[in-house]
Amino acid sequence: MHEIITLQLGQRSNYVATHFWNIQESYFTYSTTEVSLLNHDVHFRAGVGADGSETFTPRTLIYDLKGGFGSLRKFNALYETREEGIPTGIWDGKTVLQKAEPMEQSEYQKALELGTQAPLSTPFVRFWSDFNRVYYHPRSCVQLSEYELGSSLMPFETWIAGEELYAELDREHDLFDRDFRPWAEECDQLQGIQMFTGVDDAWGGFAARYVDRLRDEFGKTSLWVWGMEDGSVVQRSKQQLRTANLAHSLCEVSIQASLFVSLQEPRALPPYVAMERGSLWHSSALLATAIESIGLPSRLRHAGSILSSLGTMEQTVNVNGNQNIAKLQLSVSEPSTARDNMANSPEKEADSRIPGMRSNALFDDSPAGLKNFDMDFLPPRLPGCRKQRREEKVFARVECYRGDIQRGIIDILDGTSTREFQSRRLNRRAGLPPVQRFQTALCYPQLDSSPPLYQWPGAPTALAPAAVAVAAAGFGLSAQTALSSSSMVACWINSVREMATKTVFADEREQLGNALGEMAEAYEEGWASSSDVDADD
């Protein structure tokens, strides 16, 4: 079934992943006459609830600190509510059970349980569970009670703290066997693992040791790491700590991952993005749009299987074999554009369930230039570092277009056609980067669990509940995403190296600097020279 297991580490990652799961749930079809464009078995598992009914829950492991789950209960309506009793032992005297008051649900969650609707706004989103629409299996939720969310007395913010926490839990419980192995044993044909994690805080250290264990057990399995960075402005000492954490994560996590994508909300946004700076609910929704869209080929149905796989896409991006760090880009078009393009597209290969819907297709042509995107999620060069004045060099790219089918611009190819490989050879001979492109008319849904990020003059502002078909007029968005290995990765790594070597201890400075320097060199071969790098004015 080409399953993908997801790991979510930390509050920031769980915000992004919650948007991801809400979107997946919105694709479900409930009529016996409808067949989904997506293979839901890739990300969801079938099970049996407490009353014997069938369940369908995400293949995910969610780690967060004490208090990080908000009002989310480990045992939900699909499974038994187990009340933990007073432990028995040799003590036969009087006992007193003290229980903390459960956190009150958000109005949005109360409305979901009643089957009604309640609007969401930034002040009412306290935790990622406040806008969650999905039921999780009890095994999915793992609370790490050693640290408390937002604690000022014992903050979870240093890389070594995360590393030590994993080691401690692994000694006591064998974390991998207890948490991850049961999910892996359920899979018939594991396609890969995706991990959402912070990389500039303590979660980077926790992720590094987790990835070590994953690689011991699944040495050749695709492992994608979505590394979240906090781009907020902080004091100099805290920024230095973040940079040191990030440097360690790059050296420890990225080298083990099949594909490592570092993400931060863009500083420059196009006019149609109405994002509230400082709101994790808003910034995570923007990241989720790009992450969910670029990963569509790994779960889209095509010719009795899936359109592509994590392994196929990572091989395209890492074309030279030593460029596994990629950057993610996104552009979004207003709903009317998406509807018009679908309405004007040829009727050939149409999906009878949705007017104008085209089937999923793989295509690859030889453009003279590469498409420019409105948003780039690669973190910017750190302040005070030297800047690169040469133009960007793209080594390879995977692009995914959804809901934006234009006649005469996109050439549809059969997924089994040899023309794809012929065009790649022509690209290489002409000195152009290999580009693998996918397209589907499945629009990006605007759900009521997401903030109204994308706004155009005269466009509908109402958001659709998840039960509404995602391609319904007025609610679907056209999105274009790209995952690229690029020379800009070298600029970013070099800026991290330059700042980190000024802040880490002397005994690790040389080793860390050399490791980051070698990583950057993989993106500079035949492109950059020392004369092209200048200091800031």
Side-chain angles (χ1 to χ4, degrees), residues 248-453:
H248 283 101
S249 295
L250 279 173
C251 293
E252 298 275 350
V253 179
S254 69
I255 60 172
Q256 301 250 46
S258 306
L259 198 69
F260 181 91
V261 187
S262 194
L263 302 166
Q264 183 179 307
E265 63 181 75
R267 292 183 179 177
L269 294 172
Y272 59 80
V273 176
M275 188 181 75
E276 293 183 20
R277 297 285 186 179
S279 168
L280 196 51
W281 181 44
H282 276 247
S283 60
S284 59
L286 185 64
L287 291 173
T289 304
I291 292 173
E292 199 278 330
S293 296
I294 196 63
L296 266 182
S298 66
R299 52 189 176 272
L300 280 168
R301 297 182 185 274
H302 180 73
S305 183
I306 56 174
L307 182 60
S308 185
S309 67
L310 299 183
T312 301
M313 290 190 286
E314 74 194 29
Q315 288 173 10
T316 300
V317 174
N318 189 10
V319 66
N320 294 321
N322 59 349
Q323 297 171 334
N324 68 319
I325 301 178
K327 72 170 190 173
L328 184 62
Q329 296 169 283
L330 169 70
S331 291
V332 179
S333 302
E334 58 184 312
S336 60
T337 303
R339 293 196 304 271
D340 292 344
N341 287 336
M342 284 191 293
N344 294 331
S345 62
E347 295 299 323
K348 183 182 178 181
E349 299 182 46
D351 190 306
S352 59
R353 297 179 293 109
I354 304 175
M357 178 67 82
R358 296 284 295 277
S359 63
N360 306 319
L362 166 67
F363 68 101
D364 194 334
D365 56 7
S366 302
L370 293 172
K371 174 180 172 59
N372 293 321
F373 292 83
D374 295 336
M375 290 169 278
D376 193 330
F377 296 97
L378 182 70
R381 180 178 49 85
L382 295 175
C385 295
R386 293 174 296 172
K387 60 184 178 181
Q388 180 65 56
R389 298 191 184 276
R390 295 197 74 176
E391 293 184 358
E392 179 181 9
K393 164 70 174 178
V394 175
F395 301 102
R397 175 181 283 181
V398 171
E399 296 177 355
C400 184
Y401 296 78
R402 60 186 306 177
D404 191 1
I405 301 175
Q406 303 182 33
R407 185 185 308 196
I409 295 180
I410 294 177
D411 182 24
I412 304 299
L413 300 183
D414 186 348
T416 60
S417 174
T418 59
R419 186 175 165 190
E420 171 197 354
F421 306 103
Q422 293 171 352
S423 65
R424 290 192 191 182
R425 285 197 295 268
L426 292 174
N427 275 10
R428 296 298 292 270
R429 290 176 183 175
L432 299 174
V435 180
Q436 187 178 33
R437 292 187 174 89
F438 302 92
Q439 78 161 7
T440 178
L442 182 66
C443 294
Y444 183 81
Q446 294 190 92
L447 307 180
D448 60 0
S449 60
S450 298
L453 277 182

Side-chain angles (χ1 to χ4, degrees), residues 459-491:
T461 56
L463 300 181
V468 177
V470 298
F475 294 123
L477 292 177
S478 171
Q480 305 88 44
T481 48
L483 203 56
S484 311
S485 55
S486 158
S487 59
M488 297 307 296
V489 173
C491 299

